[in-house]
Amino acid sequence: MNSPVGRTSSLTRSMEDWAARAILTSGDAFEAVRTPTPCLDSEEEDEESRLFEAQARKDLESYGCPPCYPSHFSVPVRDPPEEYRPLIEYWQSTGGRDVPLCAQICDWRKFRAFQLRMRAYYPEERFSIYMDRARERRRRHGLDGDVHLLLDSEQQTQKQNWIEFQGYHCKKHEEFVKEREKFEQMKNDDTQTKAADTDHASFERAKINRLAIAERLRYNEKCRRKHEVLLGWIEQQRLAMNVQPQTPIEEDSHGQNAASEVVRTVSTCQNRSKRPGRRGAGQTLDRARPQRRSAAQRSHPALGTITTRSGRISKPPARFIPG
């Protein structure tokens, strides 16, 4: 049995090392051909899984990516509730058999690398093209909501990253569809070749090709169905984020519309205050004499100051002060 220090030190391994090990030990084909290996101590293996999952959960939450199952679940997750089972099984099928959160964080890091590639390919003068294509992809998948992304992905809000993450996986789903269409075309071409073949060798080659194509189509269908589960969960999380109130950063990410509206409103109020009062249009007030404020004016502080609940007077952000 390893000491607590030895078990804790396993957290220092990089997630890339874990991903390499997961790839080598995952997949239906590997399960069919792998040779027997000495059994590891199940308690040590479960403890390692708990350490990996705890670190993966911490990383996911720090990135703003919701973990695929709640923190109160026992690890390894053996028999999850039905509402979580399809999503957990999806991540387990991608290499995270006992550590689905590790598979999820690896996928999120691939998405973050995708963000960097897209911003390198679409610099500032072409970034609008990237957003237009993202909007078009959402329309193809029947998704509502507009796309407002930033050239600096580090400045994006959780919701902006999530919408871009959704587009990333919609793109992957379209690749599954294109692959299926390619194999369907190969299947049709093989059928035509079979009709033209007459010798035995050609017939055997065509038979092998048909079996290979049929297997690839089954595997594609299996992956596509599982990926649809992930897409459904991503959309559920997006809708939940829509219910949350917008942060100041999210409001500013839609341009300067909000700030411009405030400036227009303040300018209108100032123009109205300059209109002649009940004394007549030709009569002016003595500027040295303080003007008497109405009840409505007394109930609202001046624009340049904000009164907090504690009674402290502070100034608003500079962007809300008209020039």
Side-chain angles (χ1 to χ4, degrees), residues 15 18 21-22 48-50 52-57 60 65-70 73-80 84-108 230 233:
M15 298 302 289
W18 173 87
R21 186 184 66 173
E48 185 182 56
S49 296
R50 283 190 284 271
F52 274 126
E53 287 290 86
Q55 183 61 46
R57 177 178 295 278
L60 286 168
C65 178
C68 64
Y69 65 85
F73 280 19
S74 60
V75 179
V77 182
R78 304 295 188 191
D79 188 23
Y84 295 98
R85 186 184 302 275
L87 183 63
I88 293 176
E89 289 179 347
Y90 169 79
W91 290 119
Q92 289 174 335
S93 69
T94 62
R97 289 179 298 173
D98 289 338
V99 282
L101 294 184
C102 291
Q104 188 181 359
I105 191 62
C106 285
D107 178 77
W108 183 262
L230 177 64
W233 175 77

Side-chain angles (χ1 to χ4, degrees), residues 151-190:
L151 186 62
D152 184 0
S153 61
E154 296 297 329
Q155 299 299 320
Q156 291 189 161
T157 63
Q158 180 192 28
K159 182 179 177 181
Q160 287 173 317
N161 278 327
W162 196 252
I163 288 177
E164 192 172 5
F165 178 67
Q166 187 175 37
Y168 167 75
H169 272 285
C170 286
K171 186 175 184 293
K172 291 187 67 174
H173 198 76
E174 291 176 350
E175 293 173 358
F176 283 126
V177 175
K178 291 179 180 179
E179 186 182 48
R180 182 190 62 184
E181 294 173 351
K182 181 185 71 174
F183 287 123
E184 289 286 357
Q185 184 61 42
M186 292 173 62
K187 181 180 178 180
N188 295 334
D189 295 342
D190 183 72

Side-chain angles (χ1 to χ4, degrees), residues 102-160:
C102 291
Q104 188 181 359
I105 191 62
C106 285
D107 178 77
W108 183 262
R109 286 172 175 165
K110 290 178 182 177
F111 158 66
R112 298 291 281 178
F114 167 82
Q115 285 183 307
L116 295 178
R117 291 197 306 272
M118 291 300 100
R119 281 154 178 78
Y121 187 79
Y122 296 97
E124 183 175 3
E125 62 273 11
R126 301 180 67 241
F127 193 68
S128 60
I129 300 176
Y130 174 59
M131 286 197 293
D132 289 341
R133 292 180 177 177
R135 295 184 184 108
E136 178 59 30
R137 183 176 294 111
R138 292 184 66 82
R139 284 192 290 268
R140 288 199 301 268
H141 287 261
L143 298 172
D144 60 352
D146 205 349
V147 178
H148 299 279
L149 306 178
L150 302 180
L151 186 62
D152 184 0
S153 61
E154 296 297 329
Q155 299 299 320
Q156 291 189 161
T157 63
Q158 180 192 28
K159 182 179 177 181
Q160 287 173 317

Side-chain angles (χ1 to χ4, degrees), residues 273-304:
S273 64
K274 295 178 182 179
R275 294 176 183 176
R278 296 180 179 179
R279 299 175 181 246
Q283 186 177 2
T284 59
L285 297 177
D286 186 8
R287 294 185 179 181
R289 188 178 63 184
Q291 299 182 9
R292 183 178 181 182
R293 295 186 301 170
S294 64
Q297 290 175 327
R298 289 193 300 270
S299 63
H300 297 284
L303 181 64

